[in-house]
Amino acid sequence: MKELKIQPIKNGTVIDHIPSGMALKVLRIIGIDEKGVDSTVSVAMHVPSKGTGWKDIVKVEDRELDPKEVDKISLISPSATINIIRNYEVAEKHKVQLPKVIKGIVKCANPSCITNLNEPVETMFTIKSKSPLKLRCHYCDRELEDVVEHII
Ligand code: CTP
Ligand code: ZN
């Protein structure tokens, strides 16, 4: 029998298979913080995952994510799945995918990079390595290792 740790939702988004310990970062990315929320949000941390291991789950009711939020989640949690729930059914299921070019969601660590000089230039990175995740700035070539700390 299926064990339900948190209630199923009627409509909204379930971000599943988040690596254990990363749920709070996902909440920050989708704009949930101490300023309060305008949708019902439930969080399950350190729940057993199929097979071995542990995962976190975030459920946001009556809201779908925008593509930038999904790309940010792919940076911290390449294994996550995004489930769109409509009328209690899983209407769509997507595995997040690391984009080939990362635009406008990560800040360059180089203070003299053009993207940090108040010019109207959106940040842009290519993937240098996936595991561990390392990016390279398209403009100044600076390599970025602590990607999660630089999510905008
Ligand atoms: N879910 C939910 N409310 C619903 C339907 C599903 O909160 N009305 C949640 C489930 O609890 C699960 C996720 O959405 O965390 C995906 O549901 P489902 O595809 O049914 O689960 P699995 O088959 O276990 O998913 P996967 O194969 O991606 O592990
Ligand atoms: Zn740069």
Side-chain angles (χ1 to χ4, degrees), residues 18-79:
I18 302 167
S20 185
M22 299 304 259
L24 292 175
K25 293 205 159 71
V26 170
L27 292 175
R28 185 178 77 81
I29 285 170
I30 63 177
I32 291 156
D33 56 26
E34 58 284 348
K35 287 185 221 108
V37 290
D38 48 20
S39 12
T40 302
V41 175
S42 24
V43 181
M45 294 188 200
H46 205 67
V47 300
S49 182
K50 269 181 237 159
T52 52
W54 306 90
K55 66 175 181 179
D56 290 352
I57 308 172
V58 171
K59 302 188 183 191
V60 191
E61 290 180 46
D62 300 315
R63 166 141 126 65
E64 297 192 3
L65 304 181
D66 70 45
K68 277 204 163 158
E69 291 174 318
V70 176
D71 285 350
K72 289 179 187 178
I73 292 169
S74 78
L75 295 174
I76 64 162
S77 161
S79 59

Side-chain angles (χ1 to χ4, degrees), residues 108-110 112-116 124-125 137-142:
C108 183
N110 173 6
S112 44
C113 177
I114 182 146
T115 61
N116 285 321
M124 197 192 296
F125 294 84
C137 178
H138 170 77
Y139 293 100
C140 72
D141 248 14
R142 170 79 69 102

Side-chain angles (χ1 to χ4, degrees), residues 2 7-9 14 16-17 50 57 59 81 83 85 88-90 93:
K2 224 173 179 177
Q7 294 279 335
I9 60 172
V14 175
D16 198 358
H17 302 287
K50 269 181 237 159
I57 308 172
K59 302 188 183 191
T81 51
N83 299 275
I85 312 295
Y88 290 108
E89 298 287 330
V90 178
K93 184 188 288 283

